[in-house]
Amino acid sequence: MTIESTREDMVSAGLGEFDQMSDDVRLDPRVGPLQVGSRVVTEGTTAEQPNRPSREFRTVCVNEALRRLEPLSVIDPTPDHDRVSRDLVTVVGRHDRDARSVRHEALGEDAGDLASCAMSRFDDNQYVCAIIGHGAMVHPCAREWPESFDPSTEDEWPLSERRRPDWVETSDEGFPQMTTRSPALARTTDVADGPETVISIAHLVKTFGPTTALDQLDLQVERGEVHGFLGPNGAGKTVTIRILLGLLRADRGSVTVLGGDPWTDGVELHRRLAYVPGDVSLWPNLSGGEIIDFLLRLRGRVDRHRRDELIERFELDPRKKSRTYSKGNRQKVALVAALASGVELLILDEPTSGLDPLMESVFQKTIGEAVERGVTVLLSSHILAEVETLCDRVTIIREGRAVRHGTLAELRAVTRTTVTVATDEPPVGLEGLKGVYALRQLDGHVQFEVDGDELDAVVRHLAPLGVRSLVSHPPTLEDLFLRLYSQDSTEVTR
Amino acid sequence: MTVVLDAPQAQQIDAVHRTGPASSFVGLRHLLRLALRRDRLRVVLWVTGLVGVVVATVESITGLYSTPAQLEQYARIVRGNTALTVQAGPGYGLDDPTLGAVMMNELAVWMVIAVALMNIFVVVRHTRTEETTENAELTRAAPVGRYAGTAAALLCALISTVTVATGVALVLAMSGLPGAGTMAFAMSLVGAGSVFASLTAVMSQIAATPRSALALGGVALVASFVARAVGDIGDGRLSWSSPIGWAQAIRAFADERWWVLVIPVGTSALLILAAVALQAHRDFGAGILTQRAGRPTAPPTLGSPLGLSVRLQRASIVAWSVGLGLMGFFYGVVGEQAESIFEENPELESYFAHLGDASITDAFLATSVLMMALLAMGLTVSSVLRLRNEEVGFRADLVLATPTSRSNWWSSHLAVTSVGMTVALASMGAATGIGFAALTGEEARIAQLSAAALLMVPAQLVVTGIVFCVVAWWPRWSMLAWGVVAAIVVVDLFGTLLELPQWVMNVSPFQHVPAVPAVSFQAAPIVILLACSAVLAAVGAIGLRRRDIG
């Protein structure tokens, strides 16, 4: 198949439509709130760039198209196709309706100027191209395929070199450049449809000579969640992460990352994940910007817009040589390089330990945006506030074993409430109650800690004694962690 | 609430708060003990290595030149011989040759260079390198005086030098050499060592990074060598500007001139004052040469591990190429002189007889090319060891966490090392040829000597392979690579002198390279060397694939 035949098909089927549309397609900067499917999306534009629709809006359009068509291929300049950039996204799907109705149905009545559909025919099937672009000009196809290429049999489509067309003027020139993904890959590596368990560790053992770093560790991270990985210093968090990256080899046990073995399939898996190390050390003679670009290029794609935006958000000066950076700035370099790469799994090892509170909130906001796009995050951190805000589930590791895992809510249920009560009659019998600890008398009051699930029994016991005042402190995460981190393991297991 | 101190406490606090010159050295004792403790293995290795070489040399020379007739013959060959003077010094005392004078001629320059290198490394390690890691910040935040760090580094260097000198003196004395000469030589070693130590202390203040401090120290050493060599060939005046020349000028074993010792001592003192003055004006952790700003985005070449390796290694490759080029030019110029002197002295034929039926000039040029190739091992080995540095510094993690395979990572690094080393050797050979041709007009020599230098590349590749295998299989012992280098240097420089058996000499890959232009080209050894390096690379690849990183 060559491009010429595809275009002819397109022309005969509906490219004429394009030509018409390309004349009158204009992006209306005043497009207001839009209903696409069941979501109401607010169009946002910036004053300097009124012709660019909001990323969110385009994301929604793409997702709708994916949902309603039967997507065979997504031709996307940025393979992370639900994060739409300035370039085109083309969804090729199969549909037996005509172009216009598909467009309206798939993308909503008012999506008009932002999206167009064309029909094309090959292999006796109807193919619909839904093109969501930024308006002024839409062209569906890449410029060049190699002659020997047959898209129906190849697993990986050739990458044409990246050129940025001048959108406003060009008509025949200036095709968008596309990385390609074959239909098979499109389905399996789609962020929304991938395997449910992104990281799966079972009975992992790692020893360094006489020291056992990991002792039957279990860990599961599901797709799309932010999983906290906590533990005292020296518990084995960094060792686990390095095994996930294929830098260390596990002695026993099984490790699966994104469906593959990190030791043998490392290179392939690393295309889909990004890593921020705990103690960032950089090449002293290179500047921050150079290091970020270098790491992004190694990973395969440089989204200049996103990189610049993140550098600005984190207030990083990319021109300084990394030798002159403080620890926090070095961390920012690693963070920007990871967050700008658009991968589906982020492995972060204490990424904010040197950042000030403002940057901490920037980090949390950026991770939140990533999560909305479906990115999975494994976050190892000591900052409990960060864990509380970001993490869905948490695994706590101590001395190489997972001692606790679950959602934060579940963990909170395990901690204790501190109760201070004053009663009319002396509170006898409290010591004997199950779940009551650290009973002490203060002047006139009694203070104790009670397990979450025994609270009801304790309150029932107290009620007949005539409660005059009752103050309770809800369980704090810090209490939980301190208790779990400490040596006193007998209390923990209850 | 006020605190009332009793008298002893008040005195203690006064002592801490005392200002003035004495307080600048507070903590010196502890820092010195720390430095010595950290370096104990290195110092022991240096001392045993140098003393060992002296022992072996003494053995061998006493055997070779036991009769007065043999001593006379040696003196006749060596005296006034420009080429040998370059390598060995002015040969004081060879008018009436004694064993001591012969010893000095064979040994002195190399020992001074080795001691100078040891001092340079020790001082940079405890000043510049300390500051770039966080260790020094930790100690400086403790009650430690401003100059205590530098003073500790200098004292540590001095202690190492004195240990070496004492060992050497003992060996020489036990083999029956006169006491005065032994003392003189030992003290000249200490003098030269302290000059280079204090010079390096000054360089550490100026340079921005440990690497540049080492580079400056190396440049100073090479300049001293060249100045002394030029002076020794000529009328001797230029030798007085070189610390190596001062060490020779004491004329150990040949009517010692003790007053010469004043010069290195005085120079060291002046340099130390300069270092102190510079440090007073410098921020902790910075050099006086300030940093330039970098680029905000990466150039298109910085997009792969290969691009990174080029970027990281290009500065040192250029520096070594320039340095070796200058040395080559110098040797080429001297080589022109070799012929004319040699022709007057028929006994020289026997001296170079082991090189076969070659002209003396060819023999000299071949030996010079070999020596500079041995020096170039510094570039090769330090480049390969950078791989281990990247790993230890966790920068390799950043690269290996991207879709970069381990083999891509190390092979691009080694490719750059190999190409860089080839460039450096080619520049050395070409410069030697140019120097020679400039005086003799034999332009064919340029190509010939470039080829001779390039023939050293396979041997360097074998060395690369050996170091890579060490890094791949025994990463914690990576520093052993320098031991390999030392062994090769000893074998190649002192092999004939120490009368080492041929099978020991064959360990060095440079022994197998045909010594063009003295010997005609043979392809077989080159092919074997290349095959060996390929095997070593494969073995290293296996080791690096199966082990943990970091």
Side-chain angles (χ1 to χ4, degrees), chain A residues 46-120:
Chain A
T46 60
E48 312 86 74
Q49 293 175 318
N51 281 346
R52 284 190 54 230
S54 75
R55 174 173 298 158
E56 199 179 8
F57 177 74
R58 294 214 308 277
T59 305
V60 168
C61 287
V62 170
N63 283 336
E64 285 298 319
L66 288 174
R67 221 161 49 76
R68 293 176 193 247
L69 303 176
E70 190 190 358
L72 291 175
S73 158
V74 177
I75 301 174
D76 182 13
T78 58
D80 182 6
H81 57 259
D82 61 350
R83 184 176 60 73
V84 180
S85 68
R86 273 177 279 197
D87 298 322
L88 280 193
V89 176
T90 306
V91 179
V92 178
R94 204 177 316 184
H95 212 285
D96 55 1
R97 315 234 201 117
D98 69 278
R100 196 176 287 276
S101 65
V102 166
R103 184 188 76 189
H104 285 140
E105 185 185 346
L107 303 166
E109 288 281 326
D110 299 338
D113 290 352
L114 286 176
S116 45
C117 279
M119 290 253 295
S120 173

Side-chain angles (χ1 to χ4, degrees), chain B residues 188-256:
Chain B
S188 72
L189 281 181
V190 173
S194 51
V195 168
F196 277 101
S198 41
L199 184 62
T200 312
V202 171
M203 302 298 192
S204 292
Q205 304 304 322
I206 297 176
T209 65
R211 251 176 218 283
S212 16
L214 281 174
L216 284 176
V219 164
L221 184 56
V222 169
S224 313
F225 180 80
V226 170
R228 178 235 111 221
V230 169
D232 285 345
I233 297 175
D235 58 5
R237 269 187 303 181
L238 206 50
S239 301
W240 287 103
S241 66
S242 157
I244 305 178
W246 301 334
Q248 292 173 316
I250 202 174
R251 300 195 186 204
F253 301 105
D255 295 327
E256 292 82 5

Side-chain angles (χ1 to χ4, degrees), chain A residues 281 283 287 293 297 319 323, chain B residues 291 294-295 298-299 390 393 548:
Chain A
S281 91
W283 298 277
S287 70
D293 276 347
R297 282 177 196 170
R319 283 167 314 176
R323 173 186 299 130
Chain B
Q291 296 287 328
R295 311 169 44 134
E390 291 280 286
D548 291 339

Side-chain angles (χ1 to χ4, degrees), chain B residues 58-239:
Chain B
V58 166
E59 284 283 314
S60 153
I61 289 183
T62 6
L64 277 178
Y65 302 105
S66 43
T67 69
Q70 285 169 325
L71 288 172
E72 275 295 330
Q73 187 188 35
Y74 179 89
R76 259 200 309 263
I77 294 175
V78 164
R79 235 167 5 133
N81 181 329
T82 314
L84 291 178
T85 308
V86 163
Q87 299 299 98
Y92 293 122
L94 286 179
D95 302 335
D96 180 16
T98 62
L99 207 55
V102 170
M103 191 81 60
M104 287 298 102
N105 200 48
E106 288 293 324
L107 207 52
V109 173
W110 303 114
M111 288 298 294
V112 172
I113 291 177
V115 165
L117 276 176
M118 179 182 77
N119 275 279
I120 293 174
F121 288 140
V122 165
V123 172
V124 170
R125 186 171 144 81
H126 291 288
T127 52
R128 208 77 208 110
T129 316
E130 279 296 278
E131 289 185 20
T132 42
T133 62
E134 270 88 39
N135 298 346
E137 287 186 9
L138 276 178
T139 50
R140 275 285 276 263
V144 163
R146 182 197 301 274
Y147 305 120
T150 313
L154 288 171
L155 281 176
C156 181
L158 183 63
I159 291 174
S160 317
T161 315
V162 166
T163 316
V164 169
T166 316
V168 168
L170 279 174
V171 170
L172 291 180
M174 285 199 308
S175 55
L177 288 169
T182 311
M183 279 303 296
F185 181 50
M187 291 171 73
S188 72
L189 281 181
V190 173
S194 51
V195 168
F196 277 101
S198 41
L199 184 62
T200 312
V202 171
M203 302 298 192
S204 292
Q205 304 304 322
I206 297 176
T209 65
R211 251 176 218 283
S212 16
L214 281 174
L216 284 176
V219 164
L221 184 56
V222 169
S224 313
F225 180 80
V226 170
R228 178 235 111 221
V230 169
D232 285 345
I233 297 175
D235 58 5
R237 269 187 303 181
L238 206 50
S239 301

Side-chain angles (χ1 to χ4, degrees), chain A residues 156-382:
Chain A
E156 203 168 348
W157 292 12
L159 190 82
S160 36
E161 79 179 74
R162 194 176 175 80
R163 282 180 291 126
R164 295 228 15 122
D166 185 340
W167 274 108
V168 180
E169 267 99 55
T170 56
S171 57
D172 278 337
E173 284 79 39
F175 290 88
Q177 299 309 304
M178 307 177 188
T179 62
T180 58
R181 200 184 295 164
S182 78
L185 280 179
R187 244 172 287 145
T188 55
T189 58
D190 182 40
V191 172
D193 292 345
E196 269 312 303
T197 307
V198 173
I199 297 178
S200 167
I201 298 179
H203 307 306
L204 186 61
V205 175
K206 176 67 184 171
T207 56
F208 294 106
T211 328
T212 305
L214 296 179
D215 183 13
Q216 306 278 337
L217 176 70
D218 296 307
L219 177 69
Q220 305 271 92
V221 177
E222 309 293 331
R223 179 167 293 278
E225 73 170 353
V226 180
H227 195 99
F229 190 35
L230 316 172
N233 296 325
K237 303 192 291 292
T238 302
V239 171
T240 311
I241 287 178
R242 299 192 82 213
I243 291 179
L244 289 175
L245 292 170
L247 297 170
L248 302 180
R249 178 187 232 166
D251 291 334
R252 280 197 301 285
S254 80
V255 181
T256 311
V257 176
L258 293 168
D261 178 353
W263 181 258
T264 53
D265 305 329
V267 176
E268 261 316 298
L269 295 179
H270 289 170
R271 280 188 223 286
R272 299 153 65 191
L273 63 81
Y275 168 55
V276 176
D279 204 352
V280 181
S281 91
L282 303 172
W283 298 277
N285 265 333
L286 270 54
S287 70
E290 288 181 308
I291 295 175
I292 291 174
D293 276 347
F294 170 65
L295 292 173
L296 288 175
R297 282 177 196 170
L298 281 186
R299 214 158 253 126
R301 41 194 170 242
V302 184
D303 183 353
R304 176 129 312 135
H305 171 65
R306 183 147 180 79
R307 164 200 179 270
D308 292 340
E309 187 197 326
L310 280 171
I311 288 181
E312 208 183 298
R313 263 204 217 179
F314 278 102
E315 291 175 18
L316 176 68
D317 182 357
R319 283 167 314 176
K320 290 169 66 178
K321 299 215 169 167
S322 72
R323 173 186 299 130
T324 58
Y325 279 147
S326 63
K327 172 180 155 118
N329 276 327
R330 291 202 298 274
Q331 262 172 318
K332 289 183 196 176
V333 169
L335 271 173
V336 171
L339 294 169
S341 56
V343 293
E344 61 189 273
L345 171 64
L346 290 173
I347 298 182
L348 310 176
D349 190 355
E350 297 189 43
T352 59
S353 58
L355 297 185
D356 62 55
L358 183 61
M359 290 301 125
E360 169 75 48
S361 74
V362 168
F363 168 75
Q364 288 180 12
K365 178 173 166 223
T366 315
I367 292 290
E369 289 171 9
V371 171
E372 271 177 44
R373 297 194 309 264
V375 174
T376 312
V377 179
L378 177 68
L379 173 67
S380 167
S381 177
H382 282 301

